[in-house]
Amino acid sequence: MGSSGRRRYLIWIAYAGGVYGRFNAMAKHPKSPSSVMSLLERVISETLRIDWRQARISPSSRTDAGVHALRNAVTADLPVHFTPVPSIRDPNDCTQWKKCWNEALEDYGFADSLKILDVHPVATGFNGRYHVAYRKYVYRLCVENPEVDWASTLSYYGHPDAYPHLGGFGELNHSWRIRPPFDVYKARQACALFKGEQNVASFYPFDDTELTNNKIPGWELDTMRYFLSVSLDPGQPYCKSRDPVLNAHMADLYHCYNFTVVARSFVKRQIRRMMSWIVAIASGKRTVDDLKWLLDNPHPSHWLRFNLKDAPAHGLYLTDVVYDPRMYTDPVPQYQLGWDLSPPPHVLHGRSQPVTLLHGDKDAR
């Protein structure tokens, strides 16, 4: 049980990144579920019938706008005593919470954008960000088959960016569709350079103002990362038809690949920048030696030397966040979240005092 009559939980969620402008609630507002976190706050508070500011939640991994998640974790501190909606007959049964939350999301039109996968209690000293063992991301690529006569195929649709197959529309917000050439051997050579311990300062983003003022964050931050796995493997189309003929036609038009990377944490937009380098090398626009130089000379400003853009966010998926199960009940070491250092919100006449949450490890994604 948490302090001041509160208890800590770990909530597992999946969501479609393209639906939300951002992941975190930049400005908490009870009427604007414009982010994954603010929507989750509203679902919890309305079904448990608590003030929305009492639903204290903190994500383990903050994804960029447009990035999808098949399995992400959120730490939540909730009051021990509350009177939930009638569909939650046992206030202590987390299975009923999950069912009720998903039903509420479905009732209000969010069933395809956010889903609660699981809920279970954890010890007070558990921190969903710091106790992560590793995170797994997958970036999906769709490469046009060079053997297809795309010129005649697309001329029928009258637009160079048309999708000549219904499956192509299915990939629109779920992968990065690129044109050949794409050399798989060179792409895997690039993947191999990232394996093991690397200083990824060159992949740390900054804006023009910081560059003009000669204040580039990232150089003074801890940008050392250890990659457990970096690979490029054959993938599958995002959507499949009941008709095997249509599926075969989709496979003839596109070659699908999954870029998989596993590490404990990443800097902001790092994986999308890694993906842009792999595609640039596989297409012949950059070389393996260029990437090697970037890794051997880590500094945020060096990214600008190669004139590459970040890979689109909609091709990236957070597929798993993994913990040592022993940390759930006996976390070592024990951590405090920002709300552990703040007094509980006092609800007066339907209002509560705002609480500032302090999130550490800002680059753990």
Side-chain angles (χ1 to χ4, degrees), residues 3 27 30 62 67 76 79 81 96-97 103 111 118 125 137 144 171 173 209 214 221 229 263 274-275 282 298 350:
S3 59
R62 294 174 295 168
V67 175
H81 302 293
Q96 294 184 28
W97 292 13
E103 288 175 348
D118 195 13
Y137 281 87
E144 295 176 355
E171 296 289 348
N173 294 317
T209 302
N214 198 27
L221 297 176
S229 177
M274 291 171 63
M275 193 71 252

Side-chain angles (χ1 to χ4, degrees), residues 228-352:
L228 299 170
S229 177
V230 184
S231 63
L232 183 74
D233 303 293
Q236 298 290 332
Y238 179 79
C239 301
K240 287 191 176 182
S241 170
R242 296 183 180 90
D243 187 344
V245 176
L246 293 178
N247 287 330
H249 183 45
M250 179 68 178
D252 290 338
L253 291 175
Y254 301 97
H255 296 158
C256 299
Y257 298 95
N258 289 342
F259 167 68
T260 305
V261 57
V262 180
R264 187 175 182 273
S265 63
F266 304 87
V267 299
K268 184 179 180 181
R269 286 162 37 196
Q270 176 192 328
I271 301 173
R272 293 166 58 192
R273 291 191 163 195
M274 291 171 63
M275 193 71 252
S276 67
W277 263 98
I278 291 170
V279 169
I281 291 173
S283 62
K285 297 178 181 178
R286 293 288 176 241
T287 67
V288 173
D289 289 338
D290 290 336
L291 177 56
K292 190 175 186 304
W293 183 91
L294 193 68
L295 291 170
D296 291 341
N297 298 272
H299 192 280
S301 64
H302 290 169
W303 175 264
L304 300 178
R305 296 168 66 102
F306 299 95
N307 195 30
L308 292 180
K309 296 182 179 180
D310 299 355
H314 56 251
L316 183 58
Y317 290 76
L318 173 58
T319 60
D320 206 358
V321 179
V322 178
Y323 300 93
D324 182 338
R326 295 174 294 182
M327 297 297 104
Y328 296 149
T329 55
D330 186 21
V332 179
Q334 295 195 5
Y335 292 101
Q336 286 185 321
L337 290 166
W339 56 60
D340 293 322
L341 307 177
S342 305
H346 300 290
V347 180
L348 297 175
H349 305 294
R351 297 184 179 181
S352 62

Side-chain angles (χ1 to χ4, degrees), residues 41-228:
E41 283 178 340
R42 295 295 293 171
V43 170
I44 294 174
S45 62
E46 291 193 11
T47 54
L48 300 187
R49 289 178 173 172
I50 59 177
D51 184 87
W52 65 278
R53 293 183 181 88
Q54 290 184 304
R56 296 171 167 179
I57 58 178
S58 175
S60 70
S61 303
R62 294 174 295 168
T63 53
D64 298 335
V67 175
H68 314 284
L70 302 182
R71 187 172 172 83
N72 197 354
V74 175
T75 306
D77 266 23
L78 303 172
V80 174
H81 302 293
F82 54 86
T83 305
V85 295
S87 59
I88 301 179
R89 297 180 180 180
D90 183 356
N92 296 315
D93 187 350
C94 293
T95 303
Q96 294 184 28
W97 292 13
K98 183 185 79 169
K99 184 176 183 294
C100 179
W101 292 348
N102 282 324
E103 288 175 348
L105 289 168
E106 182 177 359
D107 290 343
Y108 289 97
F110 293 101
D112 294 330
S113 56
L114 176 62
K115 184 177 182 180
I116 312 300
L117 304 177
D118 195 13
V119 186
H120 59 84
V122 292
T124 302
F126 178 83
N127 186 303
R129 188 170 299 165
Y130 290 157
H131 284 117
V132 170
Y134 63 84
R135 296 171 172 88
K136 180 180 178 182
Y137 281 87
V138 173
Y139 197 102
R140 299 188 64 255
L141 280 177
C142 267
V143 184
E144 295 176 355
N145 187 346
E147 298 179 359
V148 174
D149 185 4
W150 288 95
S152 61
T153 302
L154 295 178
S155 64
Y156 175 79
Y157 294 86
H159 194 283
D161 293 325
Y163 292 84
H165 184 269
L166 189 58
F169 285 98
E171 296 289 348
L172 182 61
N173 294 317
H174 298 281
S175 68
W176 185 12
R177 197 193 71 163
I178 61 176
R179 295 179 176 178
F182 186 82
D183 190 322
V184 177
Y185 176 75
K186 289 183 179 180
R188 287 174 175 161
Q189 278 186 311
C191 290
L193 289 181
F194 287 108
K195 292 181 179 179
E197 189 174 42
Q198 302 289 344
N199 188 330
V200 296
S202 297
F203 295 81
Y204 189 93
F206 57 92
D207 58 34
D208 294 337
T209 302
E210 294 165 335
L211 181 61
T212 303
N213 297 332
N214 198 27
K215 295 181 180 179
I216 305 177
W219 183 244
E220 70 278 6
L221 297 176
D222 179 14
T223 52
M224 297 300 298
R225 296 293 186 270
Y226 188 87
F227 297 95
L228 299 170

